Amino acid sequence: MKKIVYFAFAVFLTACSTVPLTNRQQFTAIPSSEMLSLSNENYDTVLKESTLSKNTSYKNAVTRVGKRISSAVEEYLHQIGRGELINGYEWEFNVIQDETMNAWCMPGGKIAFYEGIMPICKDDAGIAVVMAHEVAHAVARHSNERLTQQMALQMGGMALSQAMEEKREETHNLVMTAFGVGTQLGVILPYSRSHESEADELGLYFMAMAGYNPTEAPLFWERMKSEGQSGGPEFLSTHPNPENRISNLEKIMPKALEYYKNNKK
């Protein structure tokens, strides 16, 4: 019995980690290798089932900004000794022909923007706000964290590999929920408010590290707000209310501006 308790405790310690910059403790029990494998498989599936944008300007801009932010994030994580967070990452940037106003980043750096969000981004700085936010979700392992929680709640703690064999469709839906992507094109499954707020903070720092002015972030959310994307009162939504989101960004802006000052292109 003691051996079982010691083993369980060891697994718990192994699965516990902290998110860089925010230092929030989290529990991520899914092996990174499994998360990357699932990401690669599902990203390819989404792209095959989608119509990729033919807008060269959109594609070039998303790739340009994506490479700049991913490079800055990689450099920073290696500097602080947290390079393991992006082990196995092979960054990809695509734009999907769909009017959904959103974007996402799966583990492994698999990123997609929808054409619908591009006019709200307006320029490279606006794209950087969204790109850095989505990359932050991946770096903070939000997908792993909530897949761990959902596997425990809905699968009784069953191992992911076993669940994929015995309950493939149900598990696939859990995985896509964890990735923040619906099983149908244009359906975006939101992260929790706490994950969204953390991605806002990390994203602000990441875009600044890449040399993009972080003061563009509140301006982007003002534009998003004007498009009617508030989703109602905050307590009814998993996304932060735009006013609160902007207020929170302003509170951490001084720290972000320090990163920007040191990395201004």
Side-chain angles (χ1 to χ4, degrees):
M1 182 63 181
K2 287 184 177 179
K3 289 183 178 180
I4 295 176
V5 173
Y6 290 152
F7 175 75
F9 184 62
V11 171
F12 176 78
L13 289 179
T14 301
C16 283
S17 60
T18 58
V19 178
L21 290 166
T22 67
N23 295 317
R24 179 180 64 85
Q25 290 190 326
Q26 62 180 172
F27 185 67
T28 52
I30 311 297
S32 294
S33 58
E34 291 189 30
M35 294 296 292
L36 292 177
S37 177
L38 287 169
S39 174
N40 291 336
E41 178 184 340
N42 285 287
Y43 187 70
D44 288 343
T45 298
V46 171
L47 294 185
K48 288 177 182 177
E49 294 177 351
S50 305
T51 300
L52 296 183
S53 175
K54 296 179 177 62
N55 189 313
T56 303
S57 178
Y58 284 171
K59 292 189 291 184
N60 289 344
V62 166
T63 300
R64 179 172 61 247
V65 174
K67 287 182 176 180
R68 188 162 149 183
I69 287 178
S70 60
S71 177
V73 169
E74 286 183 355
E75 182 179 352
Y76 171 74
L77 291 176
H78 284 110
Q79 284 178 352
I80 64 171
R82 297 298 306 276
E84 84 283 353
L85 292 174
I86 51 173
N87 282 346
Y89 269 48
E90 295 180 358
W91 301 93
E92 284 190 55
F93 312 98
N94 280 286
V95 180
I96 294 173
Q97 185 179 308
D98 187 276
E99 291 308 306
T100 301
M101 297 179 186
N102 219 316
W104 41 262
C105 176
M106 291 184 182
K110 306 303 183 183
I111 295 166
F113 273 59
Y114 292 86
E115 284 187 343
I117 201 171
M118 298 303 290
I120 304 174
C121 290
K122 196 171 68 170
D123 53 24
D124 279 20
I127 294 172
V129 174
V130 179
M131 181 73 69
H133 174 92
E134 298 306 328
V135 167
H137 276 307
V139 170
R141 295 185 175 181
H142 288 161
S143 296
N144 194 322
E145 193 172 2
R146 68 176 179 174
L147 183 56
T148 296
Q149 294 168 351
Q150 291 302 311
M151 290 295 294
L153 289 172
Q154 299 187 38
M155 298 290 187
M158 183 185 295
L160 180 58
S161 57
Q162 180 184 353
M164 288 297 291
E165 290 182 5
E166 299 180 9
K167 300 181 179 182
R168 185 168 183 81
E169 184 175 352
E170 185 178 352
T171 306
H172 171 75
N173 290 336
L174 287 182
V175 169
M176 294 301 278
T177 299
F179 288 165
V181 184
T183 54
Q184 295 181 330
L185 179 62
V187 179
I188 305 298
L189 303 173
Y191 284 93
S192 67
R193 280 196 296 268
S194 61
H195 282 169
E196 283 293 315
S197 295
E198 187 167 61
D200 278 349
E201 180 175 357
L202 290 174
L204 198 67
Y205 302 150
F206 288 163
M207 70 177 293
M209 291 174 187
Y212 293 103
N213 192 335
T215 60
E216 291 291 332
L219 299 178
F220 168 83
W221 290 111
E222 286 286 0
R223 294 196 297 273
M224 182 66 88
K225 175 185 172 185
S226 69
E227 291 291 330
Q229 299 300 305
S230 63
E234 181 173 5
F235 69 89
L236 294 178
S237 172
T238 53
H239 283 76
N241 179 280
E243 287 83 0
N244 290 348
R245 184 169 226 155
I246 292 169
S247 176
N248 290 334
L249 288 171
E250 294 292 358
K251 289 177 183 176
I252 58 177
M253 190 62 68
K255 183 176 179 180
L257 285 170
E258 284 298 314
Y259 285 119
Y260 177 59
K261 179 181 177 181
N262 295 328
N263 293 278
K264 190 173 181 181
K265 303 298 184 182

